[in-house]
Amino acid sequence: MSDNLSELLGRKGVNENLFDTLGKMAKSEGAPSDIELAKLAEEFLVGKANTFGTASFYDFLKPENKGKKVYVCNGTACVCAGTQDKVIESLTDHFEADEIGHMTCLGRCHENSAFHYDGKNYSGKASESLKAIIDSSGDLNSDTYNVKASGKQILTKAFTNVVDYYKPFRDALKIDSSEILEEIKISNVRGRGGAGFPMGLKLEFCRNVENETKFIICNADEGDPGAYSDRYLLEHQPHSVLFGMLISGYVTHASYGIVYIRAEYPESVKIVQDAIDDLQREGLIGNNIDESGFSFQFKIIQAQGSYICGEETALINSIEGQRPEVRIRPPFPAQKGLFNKPTTVNNVETLAALHYIIQNGGSSWKAIGTERSSGTKLVCLDSFFNEPGMYEVEMGTPLSIVVNELGGGFKSEVKALQIGGPLGGLVPVSKIKDLTIDFESFTKEGFLLGHASIVSVPSDYPILKFIEHLFDFAAYESCGKCFPCRLGTKRGQELAEKALTSDYKIDRKLFTDLLTTLEQGSLCAHGGGIPLPVRNALQYFDDELKSHFN
């Protein structure tokens, strides 16, 4: 049935898109009406249950969102910083309790106290100036943070101008696309979204499938609390991302690029659209670009609040207008992706790396970093650091240099770092000296580099409370397709909560079996990944946790 739905929902192409339409319908009231959902079902030749089912899944489409006027960030960085109760207290002076919702995460981890109002994000001391924010139509939501490179400046290099920046793309159009792909493969650039899969291979898989219609998707649904590197690229280096999508389209013979930007980054949408308009004016997109035979068009789709859409097959379902449930693989997206057409999905930072590779050659990128983890990596530091911000480092840089030299050490005592988002490892401060910023080092030590976002866990924050928070997040954000994740994450949260609020002792064997079931039985890395930080906690913080277990 899902194959048929994909065909039906792709009947009008990407410009008349069901999911995009649902988002626009929700803007005025917070959720589309039942009448609107029924009309959409008829228009797209699907059942009413399909449109109702889709709308009811997302935070910013479901009926419970009606009437919400302001949203408080409940991401891990803000939770650990302990700033959000004060934010909520300030908001209740101006809004009713049922007008206040939540968002995860707003990418303001460098200063916390984050909230969203009237299409804009705020943080820091903004909650102390709510009346001015509500009364003003001006730009009171801007933020600043450190952006530095410790070695070669690539992803953080200042933008020049459209004509000069896109010269390598125009030059590439004069070369056979197979040669351009070979340069990407030589570079060994690996996915920066978490899995670290070689980008060149992913593009080659899509290239080798024969089909007149193919898609390049930029996964800009950066949902890992603590990460704001994608937000930086979208808002300060949008052309690096669009350049990467154009090159990806050229080497795979794809003609459509979709930038899927999370709802929590509203400012990014306008900035990327302005950049696309720049390309249109310069004749860098459209039909038969520079008479090369290559055609490409962009479409921005704004997400509607769902962490699971960071998983590529759930994201594809989302764009189609289906519930964002994870698909069983094979077939892989390169064979059957968006609307059943060959599709390549890469994250923002991965795509942004292609400008340097195409301009300087794959060997130049390969020469940076380590043998298996080449190039540079963006690392985000939260508010517990003396110098919070985003740093571009060469792969292989010791974590201790990032923490103590670039970040300036901690403002207050910290006992652990969660690196790589909710599914990333929980690194005790004693292990900082043993890690370098690359995939192999983290894997060897039993952690996960992922997005390389760093969230600090202060010494006075109970580890069991942190575990309960992780399970709660995982349960809330589960797509619900597989039982291990849908049920297991909730059972984990319930066990941790019961132990926190009563004399209940968790059965250690039962808890270990639960983690194993999640790891081995879940369809994707959401349920399969959440046990990693929990196991790290059990390993390194047993003295603190043992009173809660028997």
Side-chain angles (χ1 to χ4, degrees), residues 57 59-60 62 72-80 102-107 109 221-227 262 264-265 305-311 418 420-424 451 453 455 461 464-480 484-494 496-497 500 518 524-531 533-534:
F57 187 95
D59 285 347
F60 312 125
K62 60 188 179 184
V72 180
C73 180
N74 66 351
T76 308
C78 281
V79 168
C80 287
H102 78 269
M103 282 186 168
T104 311
C105 134
L106 297 180
C109 319
D221 195 38
E222 178 185 57
D224 288 347
R262 62 198 309 256
E264 293 85 350
Y265 289 173
S306 174
Y307 177 76
I308 197 63
C309 289
E311 198 281 336
Q418 182 165 43
L423 314 181
H451 229 118
S453 55
V455 173
Y461 197 96
L464 187 60
K465 186 177 178 182
F466 189 81
I467 290 173
E468 192 273 336
H469 166 75
L470 289 178
F471 272 126
D472 186 48
F473 176 87
Y476 183 85
E477 298 292 353
S478 174
C479 80
C485 179
R486 185 172 78 195
L487 300 179
T489 52
K490 185 60 180 174
R491 294 294 89 84
Q493 183 271 327
E494 289 171 344
E497 181 183 44
L500 277 170
L518 280 163
C524 79
H526 184 74
I530 205 70
V534 178

Side-chain angles (χ1 to χ4, degrees), residues 1 3 13 34 48 80 105 108 163 184 192 206 262 266 272 322 360 364 376 384 397 445 477 499 509:
M1 182 60 180
D3 275 1
D34 289 354
K48 292 179 183 178
C80 287
C105 134
R108 297 294 188 105
V163 174
I184 299 171
R192 279 5 188 191
C206 187
R262 62 198 309 256
V272 175
Q322 300 192 58
N360 299 281
S364 182
T376 65
F384 279 89
T397 300
E445 295 292 336
E477 298 292 353
K509 184 178 184 304

Side-chain angles (χ1 to χ4, degrees), residues 162-455:
V162 173
V163 174
D164 292 339
Y165 192 82
Y166 283 86
K167 186 179 184 302
F169 167 64
R170 288 197 139 121
D171 291 342
L173 294 180
K174 300 169 186 174
I175 303 170
D176 190 279
S177 59
S178 63
E179 295 181 35
I180 303 300
L181 176 59
E182 190 59 30
E183 290 299 322
I184 299 171
K185 290 170 67 178
I186 288 170
S187 75
N188 193 37
V189 59
R190 294 170 63 181
R192 279 5 188 191
F197 191 82
M199 185 189 195
L201 288 179
K202 185 181 276 193
L203 294 172
E204 187 173 46
F205 293 155
C206 187
R207 175 188 176 90
N208 290 340
V209 179
E210 294 293 329
N211 202 299
E212 289 185 3
T213 303
K214 295 182 181 181
F215 296 98
I216 299 297
I217 297 176
C218 171
N219 180 355
D221 195 38
E222 178 185 57
D224 288 347
Y228 47 96
S229 50
D230 287 2
R231 180 169 80 87
Y232 162 77
L233 291 169
L234 293 169
E235 295 177 7
H236 297 279
Q237 307 280 3
H239 282 292
S240 68
V241 183
L242 299 179
F243 182 101
M245 294 181 72
L246 281 166
I247 289 294
S248 297
Y250 183 55
V251 302
T252 58
H253 311 309
S255 300
Y256 301 95
I258 298 172
V259 191
Y260 185 91
I261 302 177
R262 62 198 309 256
E264 293 85 350
Y265 289 173
E267 295 95 343
S268 300
V269 175
K270 182 182 185 306
I271 293 169
V272 175
Q273 185 59 59
D274 289 346
I276 292 171
D277 294 343
D278 290 342
L279 298 185
Q280 192 76 58
R281 283 190 291 271
E282 291 295 333
L284 285 159
I285 54 176
N287 295 322
N288 194 21
I289 303 167
D290 284 2
E291 298 183 353
S292 64
F294 173 60
S295 302
F296 202 82
Q297 293 287 357
F298 284 102
K299 167 77 173 177
I300 293 176
I301 290 182
Q302 191 166 7
Q304 295 299 329
S306 174
Y307 177 76
I308 197 63
C309 289
E311 198 281 336
E312 62 179 6
T313 62
L315 184 153
I316 288 168
N317 267 6
S318 178
I319 295 173
E320 290 182 351
Q322 300 192 58
R323 288 174 69 87
E325 294 181 342
V326 173
R327 295 182 180 181
I328 296 171
R329 290 168 288 188
F332 293 92
Q335 303 159 308
K336 185 184 285 188
L338 183 63
F339 307 134
N340 292 337
K341 308 299 183 184
T343 303
T344 298
V345 183
N346 277 300
N347 102 307
V348 173
E349 188 178 339
T350 315
L351 290 161
L354 288 188
H355 185 272
Y356 180 87
I357 293 167
I358 301 307
Q359 184 176 47
N360 299 281
S363 297
S364 182
W365 177 272
K366 183 73 169 62
I368 303 167
T370 70
E371 176 61 28
R372 296 184 61 193
S373 295
S374 57
T376 65
K377 181 77 190 74
L378 299 179
V379 181
C380 303
L381 306 185
D382 71 0
S383 66
F384 279 89
F385 289 87
N386 285 305
E387 296 291 336
M390 199 204 65
Y391 297 89
E392 182 176 12
V393 303
E394 294 188 9
M395 283 288 205
T397 300
L399 179 59
S400 59
I401 288 179
V402 174
V403 170
N404 299 315
E405 296 184 20
L406 301 178
F410 302 111
K411 294 175 183 174
S412 57
E413 194 172 345
V414 167
K415 62 184 174 186
L417 304 175
Q418 182 165 43
I419 302 179
L423 314 181
L426 187 65
V427 180
V429 291
S430 62
K431 292 291 290 182
I432 289 174
K433 66 182 186 305
D434 300 325
L435 292 166
T436 54
I437 302 295
D438 57 74
F439 299 110
E440 290 69 42
S441 170
F442 273 69
T443 300
K444 178 184 175 184
E445 295 292 336
F447 306 114
L448 179 75
L449 180 63
H451 229 118
S453 55
I454 299 182
V455 173

